[in-house]
Amino acid sequence: MSAVLAESLAPARYVPAALPATTIPVAAGDGIGPEIMDATLAILKAADPALAFHAVTVGLKAYEGGLMAGIGEDTWQAIDQHKIILKGPITTPQGGGYKSVNVTLRKTLGLYANLRPCVSYHPYVTALHPTMDVVIVRENEEDTYAGIEHRQSDEVVQCLKLITRPGCERIVRYAFEYARAHGRKKVTCMTKDNIMKLTDGLFHKVFDEIAPQYPEIATSHMIIDIGTARMASRPTDFDVVVTPNLYGDILSDVAAEVAGSIGLAGSSNIGHDCAMFEAVHGSAPDIAGKDIANPSGLLLSAVMMLVHLGRAKPATDIHNAWLCTLEEGLHTGDIYRDGVSRRKVGTREFAEAVIARLGQQPKKMAAVDYPEREPESLVHPDVSIPPHVNAKKALVGVDVFLNWDTDTRDPNELGAALEGLAGEDFRLALITNRGVKVYPNGNPQTLRTDHWRCRFPALKETVDGQAISRLLMRIADAGFDAVKTENLYTFDGVRGYSQAQGE
Ligand code: NAD
């Protein structure tokens, strides 16, 4: 269906808003991408004729053209010019070397906030929880998704979990600003700071610092495991949830499924200068080209895009027409249920049904009414540098990680050797294996891999980098393989490193 044809499907009495012209770069994507994008653009064009769409190259076509990130130069230029992109799902080719388009776009464009509304449309779409309406605000750039991984020995690989104060500040502020702008009543922070006291602890701390600046919004904190369980069992306890990257990724898929179907979930990726809108689901190669895919996830993402652009009327009209279509039982195969649905429709027919209902209000489900706002009026939080970021930093020791292997892997043997290498600047305080203390006085039950963390606190109050270099030289000269070091600092006298289990 072409966008031009779609205009003629709009009911005669429907008067689209007269809005300024604007151009949206559009990446159709792979698999079902082109068909759901075609359907979505037809609906957009009917409700907002001043929109122009500029097709750009992303996904398989770009990969096949030798671009390992799957993104054409034309895409970067278009985003640079228009600061926005509507993107279909991408198939990432299997095998080494190919980079995820999504991760590359999110990181390169600084799209730090990933918003995933999860709403149930009961009784028209079967849902585990009929009255669910939650927005997950997921941090989108940091955490283990920074993608800094290293293999350090035969047996041990590591992934660096990076959480930064500016990163926490802007995502937490964004969640509160979003809640305020959209009349949401409560923001819940989810972390695992009972275990990761420094990284998740910082996220939680920043949340507690910022929350009082939004006194009209209720707040709570939950540990992510019970929080995820509660999202499945009692999602109505939640309104807006803000959480680090990995937890947000998992939690939002759980929430979308509990709400009815991941196929209905839209999302936005918001940065300071740019924004990307895409469905949560993938390219569904199993049903590609059959005109049976549900375009709703992409369509609701496009509605979020219109709201972001300050085009409230077409956003409201499309959303309500879509609710009417659901209510009237015109359902694509993925949500079709005997006794609930009236007719099974394909992708094109579904889009035509939405267009034909532009200007109508749903009769049973609550209609939406997006308020008129300036484009991007959601204030982008400025990242402040509070005084304690300039804390007095003191070097008080070093953790040296060794790749060490013998037949016995006896920590007492390693300990005795390292005690002799500590020198006049350090003492050997302990050795851990996978974070568990094995020397001195370890428990023989502890699994011992070939990767040992050896903690050398300074004998004096502080130490300098040269002393650490001399220690490392002695360790190397003794034939040990130091695979990594972590300096131990205090900040304003507070230790900036975790204690070992059993320390
Ligand atoms: P998927 O979401 O593509 O499909 C999972 C199941 O849901 C399939 O049975 C599919 O038919 C169905 N489904 C998905 N969207 C649907 C829709 N709109 N209408 C009806 N049914 C729908 O997940 P997958 O199979 O794990 O991944 C397929 C490909 O998509 C992979 O290459 C993956 O890397 C990619 N992917 C891309 C994105 C993205 O670009 N944002 C996200 C997730 C997965």
Side-chain angles (χ1 to χ4, degrees), residues 32 36 87-92 102 263 278-287 292-295 334:
I32 58 171
I36 59 172
K87 190 182 80 58
I90 306 296
T91 302
T92 309
N102 291 336
E278 61 177 343
V280 170
H281 63 73
S283 58
D286 52 330
I287 57 166
I292 58 174
N294 189 343
D334 55 317

